[in-house]
Amino acid sequence: MGEQIPDGGRKTAKATEEAAPTGQTASGESAAAKKPAAAKKPAAARRPAAAKKAASVAKKAPARKAPAKKATGKKAASSKRAESAAKKAASSKRVASAAKEASASVKKAPAVKKAPAAKKVTVATKKATARIKGTAPARTVVHPPGGESRTALVRRARRINRELAEVYPYAHPELDFTNPFQLVVATVLSAQTTDLRVNQTTPALFARYPTPEDLAAANPEDVEEILRPCGFFRAKTKSVIGLSKALVEDFGGEVPDRLEDLVKLPGVGRKTAFVVLGNAFGRPGITVDTHFQRLVRRWQWTGETDPDKIEAAIGALFPKSDWTDLSHHVIWHGRRICHARKPACGACPIAPLCPAYGEGETDPEKAKKLLKYEKGGFPGQRLNPPQAYLDAGGKPAPPLGAG
């Protein structure tokens, strides 16, 4: 703006220039004139450059957007991974907490370690074995060999016994005796020899020592000489003298009628005790001798080999009232027809019921030649058999030395 003077006008530019220093006006004008121009030029020059940059930015913007999308995709994936990791962490925490709870529950439950049920089973097993060693065979569950059901096994076993009862209606113990003392002594002597050999030996023994008191006071050398034909005569002499002394000292010279007492006598086991109980006192018992063991396994009544276990298994198949006669039927059949080495299968009355049929001679004519005792026309085991046996056609055994 111009400077105002007193007459109301303004100083001219010239005056102003004259007031200013020399050379400054031109340069100042030129500078002032040049500055706006220069300012205009760069603005004009900058505009196209800015436009170019904007265009280039606009062109590059889509390219940058894709990475932006990728970045967002990566962020989403990372977020998903984070979520899955969080879920896994949560599940692991749950598993860890469950494991801790389980371990805590295991620690808190000492009753499992004590296992009272297992102790009860052990006690039951001991009781079962005690029953087997007791007075009578234990009624155990029989598992038939060969896949036969228990019901079928019981029916077949009892039918075999009925068939044998018809074949041997006069079956009896094949040791000669007139009282329980003679029977227990004869049974002890029958170990490792035949009943026939014992029956041929005992008449001289009982004629010289008729009572337990007489045999308990006998000279062992004299008894050994009498018992020499029976084999193992020294051991048997010791047994019969020992049991005679036990009868005199502990039972007043009488043979006890209980299994627990009989098995305490020297040389007397369960087999001998059941022979005495069943045939001298009429108390049922199963006599498990070599013939009995062989046949019950051959008939697949049991697969046991221990005599006590065989006794328990067979006793579970039959009523107690049948035990004594069953023993006689099986032993008689084993001695006469169903032999150990060559059974007479062709002459066997129970061949249709026997699973071992064919192990021996199946031809009827050849099988008849294998029969022993009364079935083959030969004498039986006893020198003095029961009258029923003689009435059925049985023959007494010859005395010692008769051939």
Side-chain angles (χ1 to χ4, degrees), residues 138-162:
R139 289 282 182 169
T140 56
V141 177
V142 179
H143 299 285
E148 186 179 22
S149 69
R150 174 172 169 75
T151 302
L153 172 62
V154 171
R155 289 176 179 174
R156 183 170 62 86
R158 294 185 180 185
R159 184 178 174 186
I160 287 176
N161 186 40
R162 290 194 299 270

Side-chain angles (χ1 to χ4, degrees), residues 97-109:
S97 63
K100 286 180 181 179
E101 290 177 1
S103 62
S105 63
V106 170
K107 288 179 181 178
K108 289 179 182 179

